[in-house]
Amino acid sequence: MWLAILVASLGCYALKLAGLSLPARVLHNPLVERIADFIPVALLAALVAVQVWSSGPSLTVDARTAGLGFAVVALLLRAPFLVVVIGAAVVAALLRLL
């Protein structure tokens, strides 16, 4: 296990070093900047999808899907963040009670 941690640490460090060694003209390219803006969004969407629809090795649709649906609608209606989070949790909890 420690070998895997060491290898992963070295890989992360090498990736960070590679990013720092890129010339500024590459980093300030408009295409690179546009792509870099979308990477956090894609990672967060993937994390949400895994947390909502996975249950072990299988995919499931349950109360979490309804909570996510509530959150999407609340965000489209420009609700405050706390309303989105608490509302989604309440919707999922109520559906689990049924």
Side-chain angles (χ1 to χ4, degrees):
M1 180 170 104
W2 288 107
L3 179 63
I5 291 172
L6 183 62
V7 169
S9 299
L10 290 174
C12 288
Y13 183 76
L15 188 61
K16 178 82 170 180
L17 188 62
L20 291 173
S21 64
L22 286 174
R25 63 180 171 81
V26 173
L27 296 175
H28 295 300
N29 184 343
L31 178 64
V32 173
E33 288 179 350
R34 269 187 275 144
I35 290 171
D37 286 342
F38 287 118
I39 289 174
V41 175
L43 290 174
L44 184 58
L47 178 64
V48 167
V50 168
Q51 291 297 314
V52 170
W53 291 299
S54 70
S55 179
S58 62
L59 295 175
T60 60
V61 176
D62 57 7
R64 296 176 290 182
T65 303
L68 179 63
F70 173 87
V72 168
V73 171
L75 286 172
L76 289 174
L77 295 175
R78 306 242 185 240
F81 183 71
L82 284 177
V83 172
V84 173
V85 172
I86 293 171
V90 167
V91 166
L94 288 175
L95 284 176
R96 287 182 185 208
L97 283 176
L98 297 177

